């Protein structure tokens, strides 16, 4: 029916223009579909993603601490194991070996049928790469400042306008 096809095209257009990545997995964790933002964030084309399972080696995800995420920790795998939503999980996606990861806040939700059986898992993620990179730059800058402050041969003190000392380096 033409109306159904037009509605599907309109829905696809809307999903493809979201500022969030969306992937839909079947009850086994296999990717059924993904929007354009998901493909960009994960560094994979839809043709590469379609048919991948939640335990495939192609997913190079990182925990918030930068360590590789074990397959059992993947949002889809957690939903498949528990049938419960996973929300506000910070993940990194390595899009190229040795490159900088893309970072996202990720949520995964089970979609149940009328009988309560798992039908699909929907995963959404919002890009926070620029925020994470800014935080890392700030940490690096703070570390460099702290090293200079602590190791300076000159006395350095930070005081309040009234003269109370807030901090002083060892030379002070």
């Amino acid at each position: 029916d033409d109306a159904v096809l037009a509605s599907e095209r309109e829905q696809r257009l809307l999903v493809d223009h979201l500022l969030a990545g969306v992937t839909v997995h079947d009850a086994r964790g296999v990717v059924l579909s993904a929007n354009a933002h998901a493909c960009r964030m994960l560094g994979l084309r839809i043709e590469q993603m379609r048919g991948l399972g939640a335990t495939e080696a192609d997913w190079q995800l990182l925990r918030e601490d930068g360590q590789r995420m074990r397959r059992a920790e993947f949002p889809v795998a957690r939903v498949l194991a528990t049938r419960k939503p996973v929300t506000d999980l910070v993940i990194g996606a390595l899009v190229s070996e040795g490159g900088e990861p893309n970072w996202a806040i990720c949520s995964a939700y089970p979609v149940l049928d009328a009988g309560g059986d798992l039908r699909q898992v929907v995963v959404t993620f919002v890009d926070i790469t620029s925020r994470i990179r800014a935080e890392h730059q700030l940490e690096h800058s703070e570390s460099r400042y702290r090293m200079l402050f602590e190791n300076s041969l000159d006395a350095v003190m930070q005081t309040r306008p009234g003269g109370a000392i807030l901090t002083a380096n060892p030379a002070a």
Side-chain angles (χ1 to χ4, degrees):
D1 174 86
D2 288 340
V4 171
L5 289 175
S7 176
E8 286 176 0
R9 279 193 301 274
E10 183 177 330
Q11 292 299 316
R12 185 72 200 171
L13 180 72
L14 291 172
V15 170
D16 274 342
H17 287 86
L18 288 174
L19 291 178
V22 178
T23 58
V24 178
H25 304 254
D26 69 13
R28 295 172 295 131
V30 174
V31 175
L32 299 172
S33 65
N35 71 351
H37 195 74
C39 293
R40 279 191 304 276
M41 284 288 301
L42 297 169
L44 297 169
R45 295 183 321 278
I46 185 60
E47 297 80 20
Q48 293 172 294
M49 290 175 56
R50 202 173 282 129
L52 286 179
T55 60
E56 297 290 333
D58 292 319
W59 302 106
Q60 297 183 44
L61 302 181
L62 304 175
R63 293 192 304 260
E64 191 170 6
D65 64 5
Q67 298 298 310
R68 288 263 175 149
M69 191 177 277
R70 293 186 345 264
R71 291 179 187 126
E73 297 176 277
F74 289 5
V76 171
R78 289 173 54 184
V79 171
L80 292 173
T82 66
R83 304 294 198 256
K84 293 181 180 167
V86 173
T87 59
D88 301 326
L89 180 66
V90 175
I91 64 168
L94 286 175
V95 296
S96 64
E97 203 59 46
E100 288 290 316
N102 290 328
W103 291 96
I105 294 178
C106 177
S107 295
Y109 300 94
V111 177
L112 306 176
D113 64 18
D117 292 323
L118 183 68
R119 196 168 60 96
Q120 293 178 333
V121 177
V122 176
V123 181
T124 61
F125 41 97
V126 176
D127 189 350
I128 60 168
T129 302
S130 59
R131 186 189 93 193
I132 295 293
R133 288 183 181 155
E135 287 173 1
H136 288 167
Q137 287 174 340
L138 182 60
E139 288 168 6
H140 180 69
S141 177
E142 172 65 22
S143 173
R144 202 172 45 220
Y145 162 79
R146 180 69 40 209
M147 184 199 60
L148 290 169
F149 179 79
E150 295 292 330
N151 295 301
S152 175
L153 297 177
D154 295 323
V156 179
M157 291 191 300
Q158 183 181 18
T159 62
R160 292 198 182 273
I165 297 173
L166 295 173
T167 186
N169 71 347

